[in-house]
């Protein structure tokens, strides 16, 4: 290290003290020069402005004053002062801008780099004052315009009057000019005087049509941040036959919510706030345009007195009085209603299946050029009503220079596109002289947009009709009723549903669904969803249980005679339905009462060829009893579409006793019905059947007695079936107790059955009656089937044969042992006696050789 820097601690302190004072002097030189220059001038201060404000009590002085004069510049720059503050005292510098009588002050910050960060602006910050009506008044008595620190630039400010003040506060040791910098300008104040001013307000004006037919108007300090606690009124008064148009090209207000409870602009259709309100606006908008209905328009601009730091610009607009705006008389003569605030937009609201006519502007005369009108035609849409709109054109003449209809046109929107502001997604566009075809909306909303372009024409005349929209697929009835037709020749399969499904159906409704097949076809229904209202407590929703909302299903014979298939309600969905062979038409009726509603139903229909619809059932005659099982029983029935019909016919004056011995079908009657698979039993062919599924049967449904000598059983599954255990049923030909029994009389049930059925191991007498199985030998348990009995007989026979074979073998073995013993006691061969000579000698074979 050099010797010059090898100092003792005491000498080092002295050097530092000298360097500190030397640096202070150097930093003070520019400031002293600026102060001397400022004090030497009597007319022009910093940046060519007059500097006359007395110096503050603290030194060195840092206040600045900028005053507009006739010969000086009307703009310039300003920057933070150079401050030397070794003791870190709190320093304040005041920048005062004073404009001429017909001017205002505009200040814009270009650079901003203060310590601290909002909202904690404690050590270094800038205060703004833009509402000073007297430059000699204390700042503490003037409205406060906001405090700013950090690095975010404050937005442009324009004074409400002639004076604007910037207050700079700091406690930094050394402050340089790059802390903040900006520009100022003395601007003409005439653009803020819109018309005749009110004497008691700085921003209330009356604009007369005969003094100024058109012009611009702005909020009091636009484009600077608007002040708080404002109440401005702009009254536009036109002449007879005129209308007023106000267009906001720039609109930037504090947004407090969709209802604009804080800062807002309100526009009234008249000369005061007592007239009808057109709209309340806040937030940010572009090209907001408002028309008066008559000759006057009233605009009100209010801001709240609040502490929230907002920096919104306000608004800039344009006004015009004119006689060429669309005359609204063509709307008032008809059912349409003018939409306030628009030039010629109108709305038509349904009065429930009402109708009327809408016209082009100025009808029946030529329409004006360069206009655009919107037509909102809305049907009813509530819990009880739902409509759609049908248009039929009577007259049409919209000249256009191109086939694409780019300039003059009529656009139709059928899907409610206006709700999402999708004006480019129109469904139809028409121009020229060809009358368009009728159109129907897809929902309750229909909108038309008419643009005249640069041409003129006769326009159009359109008749509208509101039709009830049931939202049911199918061919609707021409009279608008809830009546729909489905024809096989048009479509073999499809969907049908309750009105407005999946939404709730309306109350007090009656609907018909007619299905017309071709000869040789059958009709099939499968219900995918089912729920009607149920206020009364019932165990299930079949037939007589349905007293509120329900559906009924009918087979329609070729002769026109109808046979009711069933009545369903609550959550009990109908099982799969197939009409009988030879019946190719069916009808479904849906009826609701006046109290409460539900979501309804959805179903699939199918026209199927009888030749391809194989039936797995059959006709049963000439027997006294029998057993019927589901396909593949005792295995599960298959999970696909199948149909089985059994007709059991017994002798005249006899009946069929039908008993389920086993039952397990998918579904639950009380909770969801039998949508996938169902068993139906007709005890009376002229009445609806008993519909069964699930796994629990009551005594009333487990045993069924026919009303005549014929009983019909049906088993149907849909493609959506999952498969289950199936069923096993026993049927018996019986006579009731009031006849003389020539066969076997059942002791409990009183039925008379054939004597041949005794001890056949089947419950032919019915539930809890075993008369036919008493005193039978080896009577197997009632639940045992024939197959199990056959297996037991085979087992007995096999055991018997085996035992006999074993006995024969054992006997042979014993005989063999005894013979061997005898042979062991016989003398040798040569000592045996010889046979007589006269007898021929014979050869014997021993048992061993055999």
């Amino acid at each position: 290290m050099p010797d010059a820097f090898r100092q003792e601690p005491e000498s080092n302190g002295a050097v530092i003290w000298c360097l500190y004072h030397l640096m202070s002097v150097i930093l003070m030189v520019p400031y002293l020069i600026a102060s001397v220059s400022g004090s030497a001038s009597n007319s022009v201060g910093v940046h060519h402005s007059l500097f006359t404000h007395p110096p503050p009590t603290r030194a060195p002085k840092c206040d600045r004053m900028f005053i507009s004069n006739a010969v000086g510049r009307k703009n310039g720059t300003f920057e933070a002062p150079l401050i030397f503050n070794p003791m870190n005292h709190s320093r304040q510098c005041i920048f005062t801008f004073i404009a001429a009588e017909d001017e205002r002050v505009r200040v814009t910050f270009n650079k901003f780099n203060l310590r601290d960060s909002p909202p904690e602006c404690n050590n270094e910050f800038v205060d703004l004052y833009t509402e000073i009506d007297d430059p000699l008044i204390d700042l503490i008595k003037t409205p406060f315009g906001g405090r700013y620190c950090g690095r975010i630039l404050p937005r442009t400010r324009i004074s409400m009057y002639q004076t604007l003040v910037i207050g700079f506060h700091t406690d930094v040791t050394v402050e340089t000019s790059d802390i903040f910098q900006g520009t100022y300008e003395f601007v003409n104040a005439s653009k803020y005087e819109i018309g005749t001013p009110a004497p008691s307000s700085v921003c209330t004006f009356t604009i007369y049509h005969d003094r100024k037919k058109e012009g611009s108007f702005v909020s009091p300090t636009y484009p600077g941040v608007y002040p708080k606690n404002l109440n401005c009124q702009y009254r536009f008064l036109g002449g007879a036959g005129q209308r007023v148009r106000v267009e906001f090209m720039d609109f930037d207000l504090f947004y407090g919510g969709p209802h604009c409870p804080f800062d807002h602009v309100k526009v009234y259709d008249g000369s005061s706030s007592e007239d009808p309100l057109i709209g309340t606006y806040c937030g940010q908008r572009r090209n907001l345009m408002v028309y008066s209905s008559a000759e006057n328009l009233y605009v009100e601009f209010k801001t709240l007195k609040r502490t929230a730091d907002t920096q919104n610009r306000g608004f800039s607009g344009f006004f015009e009085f004119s006689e060429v705006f669309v005359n609204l008389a063509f709307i008032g003569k008809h059912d349409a209603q003018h939409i306030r605030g628009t030039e010629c937009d109108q709305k038509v609201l349904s009065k429930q299946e009402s109708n009327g006519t809408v016209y082009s502007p100025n009808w029946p005369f030529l329409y004006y050029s360069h206009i655009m009108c919107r037509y909102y035609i809305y049907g009813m849409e509530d819990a009880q009503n739902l409509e759609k709109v049908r248009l039929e054109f009577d007259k049409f003449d919209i000249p256009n220079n191109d086939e694409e209809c780019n300039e003059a046109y009529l656009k139709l929107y059928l899907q409610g596109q206006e709700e999402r502001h999708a004006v480019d997604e129109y469904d139809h566009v028409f121009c020229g002289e060809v009358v368009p075809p009728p159109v129907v909306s897809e929902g309750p909303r229909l909108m038309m947009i008419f643009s005249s372009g640069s041409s003129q024409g006769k326009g159009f005349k359109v008749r509208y009709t509101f039709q009830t929209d049931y939202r049911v697929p199918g061919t609707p009835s021409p009279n608008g009723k809830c009546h729909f037709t489905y024809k096989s020749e048009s479509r073999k399969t499809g969907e049908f549903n309750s009105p407005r499904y999946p939404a709730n159906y309306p109350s007090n409704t009656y609907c018909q669904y007619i299905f017309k097949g071709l000869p040789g076809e059958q009709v099939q229904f499968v219900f995918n969803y089912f729920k009607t209202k149920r206020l009364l407590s019932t165990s299930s929703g079949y037939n007589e249980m349905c007293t509120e909302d329900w559906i009924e299903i009918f087979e329609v014979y070729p002769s026109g005679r109808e046979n009711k298939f069933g009545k369903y309600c609550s959550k009990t969905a109908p099982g799969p339905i197939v009409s009988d062979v030879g019946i190719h038409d069916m009808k479904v009726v849906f009826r609701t009462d006046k109290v409460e509603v539900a979501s309804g139903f959805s179903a699939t229909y199918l026209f199927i060829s009888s030749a391809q619809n194989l039936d797995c059932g059959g006709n049963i005659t000439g027997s006294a009893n029998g057993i019927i099982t589901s396909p593949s029983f005792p295995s599960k029935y298959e999970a696909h579409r199948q149909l089985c019909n059994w007709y059991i016919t017994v002798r005249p004056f006899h009946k069929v006793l039908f008993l389920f011995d086993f039952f397990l079908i998918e579904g639950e009657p009380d909770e969801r019905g039998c949508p996938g698979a169902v068993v139906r039993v007709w005890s009376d062919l002229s009445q609806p059947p008993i519909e069964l599924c699930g796994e629990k049967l009551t005594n009333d449904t487990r045993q069924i007695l026919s009303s005549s000598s014929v009983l019909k059983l049906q088993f149907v599954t849909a493609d959506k079936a999952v498969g289950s255990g199936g069923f096993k049923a026993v049927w018996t030909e019986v006579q009731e107790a009031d006849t003389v029994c020539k066969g076997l009389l059942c002791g409990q049930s009183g039925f008379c059955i054939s004597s041949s059925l005794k001890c056949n191991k089947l419950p032919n007498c019915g539930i809890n009656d075993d008369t036919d199985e008493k005193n039978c030998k080896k009577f197997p348990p009632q639940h045992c089937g024939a197959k199990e009995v056959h297996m037991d007989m085979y087992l007995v026979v096999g055991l018997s044969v085996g035992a006999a074979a074993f006995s024969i073998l054992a006997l042979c073995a014993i005989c063999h042992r005894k013979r061997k013993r005898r042979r062991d006691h016989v003398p040798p061969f040569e000592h045996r006696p010889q046979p007589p000579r006269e007898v021929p000698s014979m050869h014997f074979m021993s048992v061993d050789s055999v």
Side-chain angles (χ1 to χ4, degrees):
M1 170 179 264
D3 294 338
F5 294 95
R6 299 180 185 272
Q7 304 287 342
E8 295 296 327
E10 296 79 358
S11 59
N12 287 339
V15 172
I16 293 173
W17 184 86
C18 292
L19 290 175
Y20 176 79
H21 282 79
L22 179 60
M23 183 180 68
S24 300
V25 172
I26 293 173
L27 292 174
M28 287 294 294
V29 170
Y31 180 77
L32 293 174
I33 294 175
S35 299
V36 172
S37 300
S39 62
S41 175
N42 294 325
S43 59
V44 182
V46 180
H47 305 295
H48 305 282
S49 296
L50 195 61
F51 180 62
T52 60
H53 194 79
T57 57
R58 51 206 172 279
K61 53 186 178 180
C62 59
D63 292 352
R64 298 287 186 273
M65 182 171 288
F66 306 84
I67 300 179
S68 174
N69 57 65
V71 297
R73 292 175 56 184
K74 295 297 182 181
N75 56 65
T77 61
F78 63 91
E79 61 186 13
L82 180 65
I83 296 178
F84 177 67
N85 186 21
M87 304 302 293
N88 294 106
H89 293 303
S90 178
R91 302 296 304 276
Q92 173 178 292
C93 302
I94 303 298
F95 290 64
T96 305
F97 301 84
I98 303 177
E101 184 177 357
D102 58 347
E103 294 178 338
R104 293 193 184 186
V105 183
R106 174 173 178 162
V107 170
T108 303
F109 287 89
N110 301 324
K111 188 173 183 179
F112 204 79
N113 188 18
L114 275 67
R115 288 189 304 151
D116 295 341
S117 59
E120 301 298 329
C121 299
N122 297 323
N123 300 310
E124 191 170 65
F125 53 86
V126 164
D127 289 340
L128 296 177
Y129 302 86
T130 62
E131 301 174 67
I132 304 174
D133 56 354
D134 184 0
L136 300 179
I137 196 172
D138 289 339
L139 295 179
I140 194 71
K141 298 180 180 180
T142 64
F144 183 56
R147 175 168 293 178
Y148 303 92
C149 61
R151 298 184 179 183
I152 300 177
L153 290 171
R155 291 191 176 181
T156 298
R157 292 298 198 279
I158 294 180
S159 63
M160 177 74 80
Y161 304 96
Q162 295 173 241
T163 305
L164 186 149
V165 171
I166 299 175
F168 172 55
H169 300 258
T170 184
D171 59 6
V172 180
T173 303
V174 179
E175 197 70 87
T176 59
S177 61
D178 61 351
I179 295 300
F180 65 84
Q181 296 175 355
T183 62
Y184 70 91
E185 181 180 4
F186 299 110
V187 298
N188 194 325
S190 61
K191 75 173 185 176
Y192 299 101
E193 296 182 2
I194 313 304
T196 303
S200 60
S201 175
V202 69
C203 59
T204 296
F205 301 93
T206 301
I207 301 95
Y208 299 95
H209 72 96
D210 53 352
R211 299 182 187 178
K212 197 173 185 180
K213 194 171 184 178
E214 63 180 30
S216 61
F217 74 109
V218 296
S219 54
T221 58
Y222 181 87
V225 175
Y226 60 76
K228 305 169 186 176
N229 199 27
L230 284 178
N231 187 2
C232 305
Q233 295 93 33
Y234 307 86
R235 181 180 288 105
F236 300 90
L237 303 179
Q242 289 184 329
R243 295 176 65 189
V244 186
R245 177 173 68 92
V246 169
E247 182 178 0
F248 295 92
M249 282 79 71
D250 187 21
F251 193 95
D252 178 28
L253 270 63
F254 174 73
Y255 182 75
H259 301 292
C260 303
F262 304 118
D263 302 349
H264 60 259
V265 168
K266 288 187 175 182
V267 183
Y268 296 87
D269 198 5
S271 58
S272 71
S273 59
E274 300 297 324
D275 291 301
L277 176 67
I278 293 176
T280 303
Y281 311 98
C282 62
Q284 293 185 339
R285 291 174 174 266
R286 293 293 181 270
N287 300 321
L288 173 62
M289 190 177 302
V290 181
Y291 289 83
S292 66
S293 299
E295 64 271 14
N296 299 325
L297 193 71
Y298 183 79
V299 178
E300 181 181 78
F301 174 43
K302 282 188 176 182
T303 65
L304 296 187
K305 184 178 181 179
R306 62 187 185 280
T307 58
D309 182 20
T310 59
Q311 300 191 69
N312 301 90
R313 297 184 301 275
F315 62 81
S316 172
F318 179 84
F319 69 89
E320 179 184 8
F321 299 96
S322 178
E323 298 84 0
V324 300
F325 295 140
V326 175
N327 189 323
L328 302 179
F330 82 102
I331 299 178
K333 294 180 181 179
H334 309 286
D335 294 336
Q337 179 182 357
H338 172 242
I339 300 176
R340 292 188 184 275
T342 68
E343 182 177 10
C344 53
D345 294 358
Q346 56 185 285
K347 61 182 176 181
V348 179
L349 302 180
S350 171
K351 299 176 183 178
Q352 190 167 11
E353 297 186 347
S354 57
N355 57 71
T357 307
V358 292
Y359 304 84
S360 56
N362 207 38
W363 178 271
F365 307 105
L366 297 178
Y367 55 74
Y368 306 103
S369 61
H370 302 293
I371 61 172
M372 179 175 289
C373 303
R374 292 174 170 83
Y375 300 72
Y376 301 91
I377 307 175
Y378 289 169
M380 301 184 71
E381 184 181 18
D382 54 35
Q384 183 63 25
N385 301 285
L386 181 66
E387 294 179 325
K388 54 187 175 183
V389 187
R390 178 181 176 87
L391 294 183
E392 295 179 289
F393 290 84
D394 186 18
K395 304 291 184 181
F396 194 85
D397 178 28
I398 302 178
N400 201 305
N401 297 326
D402 62 281
E403 296 181 356
E404 300 296 329
C405 304
N406 292 320
E407 185 183 18
Y409 54 78
L410 180 67
K411 291 181 177 179
L412 302 186
Y413 300 80
L414 308 179
Q415 306 175 55
Q417 293 94 325
E418 74 279 6
E419 289 187 299
R420 60 179 190 274
H421 307 287
V423 294
D424 294 332
E425 300 177 10
Y426 53 85
D427 296 289
H428 303 281
V429 57
F430 303 114
C431 62
E433 299 180 354
V434 178
V435 177
V439 295
V440 179
S441 66
E442 296 186 11
R445 297 172 176 268
L446 184 147
M447 183 180 71
M448 303 191 305
I449 296 181
F450 168 62
S451 176
S452 64
S454 59
S455 63
Q456 287 185 295
K458 295 180 181 179
F460 56 84
K461 177 182 177 183
V462 184
R463 181 173 178 81
Y464 62 84
T465 303
F466 293 106
Q467 301 175 340
T468 299
D469 184 11
Y470 299 99
R471 292 192 175 176
V472 175
T475 304
S477 172
N479 60 10
K481 301 299 181 181
C482 187
H483 187 117
F484 298 89
T485 304
Y486 307 83
K487 294 184 177 181
S488 172
E489 57 189 9
S490 300
R491 190 174 182 182
K492 293 297 182 184
T493 185
E495 304 284 332
F496 69 102
N497 53 259
S498 55
R500 302 174 65 174
Y501 177 85
N504 289 345
Y505 53 77
S507 60
N508 199 25
T509 299
Y510 178 82
C511 298
Q512 284 191 11
Y513 308 82
I514 306 298
F515 299 85
K516 293 185 174 295
L518 299 174
E521 290 184 333
Q522 294 171 264
V523 187
Q524 174 184 287
F525 297 145
V526 176
F527 283 79
N528 306 311
Y529 178 86
F530 190 89
K531 183 180 181 182
T532 64
K533 171 205 62 184
R534 183 178 69 174
L535 298 180
L536 302 177
S537 178
T538 57
S539 58
S540 62
Y542 288 123
N543 298 326
E544 67 275 0
M545 296 294 183
C546 300
T547 59
E548 300 169 71
D549 301 348
W550 69 79
I551 68 167
E552 289 180 300
I553 301 175
F554 299 86
E555 292 180 317
V556 182
Y557 290 84
S559 63
R561 181 174 67 88
E562 295 181 354
N563 183 39
K564 188 162 84 170
F565 208 93
K567 186 177 182 181
Y568 308 88
C569 60
S570 186
K571 294 183 288 185
T572 307
I577 295 174
V578 180
S579 63
D580 278 346
V581 175
I583 299 177
H584 50 77
D585 294 346
M586 292 194 74
K587 181 175 77 171
V588 176
V589 173
F590 177 58
R591 187 189 297 271
T592 68
D593 61 17
K594 298 180 180 180
V595 184
E596 300 295 334
V597 292
S599 48
F601 68 88
S602 173
T604 303
Y605 70 88
L606 174 66
F607 295 102
I608 53 180
S609 172
S610 299
Q612 299 176 356
N613 190 30
L614 300 180
D615 195 316
C616 55
N619 295 326
I620 303 174
T621 59
S623 299
N625 81 313
I627 298 174
I628 300 177
T629 62
S630 56
S632 304
F633 187 85
S635 299
K636 291 183 177 181
Y637 56 83
E638 297 180 2
H640 62 78
R641 188 181 71 192
Q642 50 191 332
L643 171 66
C644 305
N645 285 297
W646 292 274
Y647 290 87
I648 305 173
T649 305
V650 296
R651 291 176 294 170
F653 309 109
H654 288 72
K655 295 183 179 181
V656 179
L657 178 65
F658 195 85
L659 173 65
F660 284 102
D661 192 34
F662 176 84
F663 193 89
L664 183 58
I665 305 295
E666 60 193 85
E668 177 53 50
D670 294 340
E671 296 299 324
R672 59 189 181 94
C674 311
V678 67
V679 172
R680 295 187 178 94
V681 181
W682 279 265
S683 60
D684 186 344
L685 297 184
S686 63
Q687 297 296 323
I690 300 172
E691 196 152 321
L692 305 172
C693 65
E695 57 183 15
K696 296 180 181 179
L697 297 178
T698 64
N699 287 343
D700 293 337
T701 56
R702 184 184 175 194
Q703 177 174 294
I704 301 169
L705 181 66
S706 68
S707 61
S708 66
S709 59
V710 180
L711 182 141
K712 179 182 177 181
L713 173 69
Q714 184 183 76
F715 177 58
V716 190
T717 61
D719 286 329
K720 65 177 182 178
V722 297
S724 191
F727 69 87
K728 175 185 176 183
V730 177
W731 67 268
T732 305
E733 179 187 67
V734 301
Q735 282 185 307
E736 294 187 273
D738 56 351
T739 60
V740 177
C741 184
K742 297 181 181 181
L744 176 64
L745 180 64
C746 299
Q748 296 294 328
S749 63
F751 294 129
C752 180
I753 65 175
S754 173
S755 300
S756 62
L757 303 182
K758 183 175 178 59
C759 299
N760 67 348
K761 306 177 180 63
L762 296 176
N764 299 112
C765 282
I767 300 176
N768 300 325
D769 192 339
D770 60 352
T771 303
D772 57 328
E773 299 300 324
K774 285 183 177 180
N775 302 320
C776 298
K777 296 180 180 180
K778 298 181 181 179
F779 181 74
Q782 183 172 333
H783 65 273
C784 296
K787 185 174 181 180
E788 294 173 346
V789 173
H790 292 165
M791 291 180 64
D792 292 344
M793 292 176 62
Y794 294 152
L795 180 61
V796 172
V797 173
L799 292 175
S800 301
V801 173
F806 178 78
S807 300
I808 293 173
L809 292 175
L811 182 60
C812 292
I814 293 172
C815 292
H816 176 70
R817 293 184 62 186
K818 287 182 177 181
R819 189 174 183 88
K820 187 175 181 181
R821 284 179 191 166
R822 289 185 192 145
R823 188 178 56 188
D824 292 340
H825 293 286
V826 175
F829 182 76
E830 58 270 17
H831 300 289
R832 292 180 184 176
Q834 297 293 324
R837 294 186 180 271
E838 59 274 14
V839 180
S841 61
M842 300 180 63
H843 299 282
F844 292 91
M845 301 178 67
S846 70
V847 177
D848 292 337
S849 64
V850 172

